[in-house]
Amino acid sequence: LNSMTNNTSLVLAFELTETNPPKVLLFTGDAQVGNWKSWQKLTWKSVETGTAGAATDGENGNVTGADLIARTVFYKVGHHGSRNATLREKGLEMMTSTELVAMIPVDEKWAKEVMEWDHPYEKLTARLMEMARGRVLRSDRIPEGGSISKPMEATDKEWESFQKKLQWDVGPERLWIQYTVT
């Protein structure tokens, strides 16, 4: 088990069915590619909420792993943004929500200089920036004050909405980021 700890991570997908369309908050822990592949085969019975946004496929009241990935609006990036913790074609590329925000819990300097890890993986970070229209937060890049500047990927309207939902620790420690999903 010690050699497979990352891929045995608990993965949580919280589906907000009171929204229309339903939104998913995806927390993948340190799950690796094999874990992601297993979700493609799974189907769950949806809990009916009686709302127009009930999270079913419309036919038999089921929701699939692919449905949850497609509805993801908040993705806590797996394993500090490592190269094998976010599946590309059956994962990131399926996150098609225009509201997608990604958060990478990482200390790049420590990962690269002390542990000699390639975290976060540069190509993954670049693709996340594209998919999330610049709305990628990193725990090691909390600004000292003010706001973060709008990247080219985001429209003015998207960026203004994103900024309104974002708060972070402005103290000297800069320990936390808060993002509110509406």
Side-chain angles (χ1 to χ4, degrees), residues 120-133:
Y121 182 51
E122 188 176 320
K123 289 182 180 179
L124 172 63
T125 302
R127 187 61 182 142
L128 283 166
M129 287 293 285
E130 293 172 14
M131 296 290 293
R133 294 177 171 84

Side-chain angles (χ1 to χ4, degrees), residues 10-177:
L10 175 66
V11 174
L12 299 172
F14 296 97
E15 187 169 40
L16 309 177
T17 58
E18 296 297 318
T19 62
N20 193 7
K23 297 177 181 182
V24 172
L25 314 178
L26 183 60
F27 298 84
T28 59
D30 287 349
Q32 295 172 334
V33 170
N35 198 314
W36 283 78
K37 286 180 179 180
S38 72
W39 310 339
Q40 303 301 319
K41 303 171 188 172
L42 300 177
T43 301
W44 299 271
K45 285 284 184 198
S46 179
V47 177
E48 283 296 325
T49 63
T51 66
T56 65
D57 66 6
E59 293 178 26
N60 56 12
N62 292 336
V63 63
T64 67
D67 295 331
L68 295 173
I69 293 169
R71 296 175 186 154
T72 297
V73 298
F74 182 85
Y75 171 43
K76 196 292 291 174
V77 178
H79 198 234
H80 319 289
S82 72
R83 75 177 58 220
N84 68 340
T86 299
L87 190 59
R88 183 83 185 246
E89 291 80 22
K90 296 285 187 175
L92 181 57
E93 298 302 322
M94 294 173 62
M95 293 182 194
T96 55
S97 172
T98 58
E99 297 179 51
L100 180 63
V101 172
M103 184 176 289
I104 306 173
V106 69
D107 181 341
E108 182 176 18
K109 183 177 179 181
W110 177 83
K112 291 186 176 180
E113 292 177 10
V114 176
M115 300 305 294
E116 299 180 355
W117 293 335
D118 189 18
H119 296 29
Y121 182 51
E122 188 176 320
K123 289 182 180 179
L124 172 63
T125 302
R127 187 61 182 142
L128 283 166
M129 287 293 285
E130 293 172 14
M131 296 290 293
R133 294 177 171 84
R135 296 171 297 211
V136 177
L137 304 168
R138 289 178 47 161
S139 58
D140 63 348
R141 296 200 178 156
I142 300 173
E144 290 185 29
S147 63
I148 48 180
S149 57
K150 181 183 89 60
M152 293 179 359
E153 295 90 351
T155 66
D156 290 340
K157 184 178 179 181
E158 288 171 333
W159 198 252
E160 182 180 329
S161 174
F162 170 66
Q163 291 280 71
K164 287 180 182 178
K165 299 173 186 177
L166 181 61
Q167 295 179 321
W168 52 79
D169 183 358
V170 294
E173 303 279 328
R174 293 193 310 279
L175 296 175
W176 55 267
I177 301 171

